[in-house]
Amino acid sequence: MKDFNHIYQQYYPMAFRVAKRTIGDSEVAKDLVQEVFIYLFEKIQQNKKVHHFSSWVYQATYHKCIDYIRSQSKYEDLDKAQHLTNEESKANSTDTKKWIDSALNQLKPEERFLVILYSEGLSYKEMSEITGIKFTSIGKTLSRVLKKLEKTLKPKHYELFG
């Protein structure tokens, strides 16, 4: 139990940050990350081995977020699913933040998650393990996704692309 508490303390902030950026809703992100750690706890209780907790938590968080987004799109209009807003952007309504959030929300969930993993500083190998995208394809896929973001943000004169 002591080991699990250490794992939870170490990886919860990262998992929550990634889930919140992917989903856009703090409360839903908390619930999804909680489910990830419940599953991990059960796995440990059954003496199943997890070799790289960081990769495992990222991957489990990825799958929970994608499943959630897919389940929501079944019940919402596609337009609503693409324009998820989070509480943070409502409270901090700078134009740049809104543009970036809007551009990210126009991406497919898998693409958005890949950008988030990239922004987290993960290596291509780690991104490949987490997403299931072939290692040899990660660079090209990420490049295409970043070009999509550039097309969306460049007309807004976002300084990264200006």
Side-chain angles (χ1 to χ4, degrees), residues 49-113:
K49 295 283 181 196
V50 175
H51 296 286
H52 303 284
F53 285 106
S54 176
S55 293
W56 190 95
V57 170
Y58 270 119
Q59 188 172 36
T61 303
Y62 167 75
H63 289 295
K64 283 288 182 192
C65 290
I66 297 300
D67 289 347
Y68 174 80
I69 290 168
R70 286 183 181 148
S71 73
Q72 292 304 301
S73 66
K74 289 179 186 175
Y75 303 108
E76 296 178 4
D77 296 333
L78 185 58
D79 188 47
K80 285 184 184 176
Q82 290 179 338
H83 292 86
L84 295 172
T85 56
N86 65 30
E87 298 130 16
E88 190 174 276
S89 68
K90 290 177 187 171
N92 180 13
S93 61
T94 64
D95 287 342
T96 302
K97 176 123 177 64
K98 284 199 264 186
W99 292 338
I100 293 171
D101 286 344
S102 175
L104 283 171
N105 287 331
Q106 291 176 26
L107 297 173
K108 294 177 187 172
E110 295 86 356
E111 294 171 334
R112 181 171 49 230
F113 198 80

Side-chain angles (χ1 to χ4, degrees), residues 150-162:
E150 181 180 6
K151 280 183 182 178
T152 304
L153 293 172
K154 199 169 189 174
K156 309 248 190 294
H157 305 290
Y158 181 60
E159 71 244 17
L160 179 65
F161 300 110

Side-chain angles (χ1 to χ4, degrees), residues 1-18:
M1 188 62 139
K2 189 176 182 182
D3 290 337
F4 180 78
N5 286 335
H6 175 72
I7 293 164
Y8 182 83
Q9 294 296 322
Q10 184 174 357
Y11 296 109
Y12 180 88
M14 171 270 301
F16 174 73
R17 185 176 57 248
V18 168

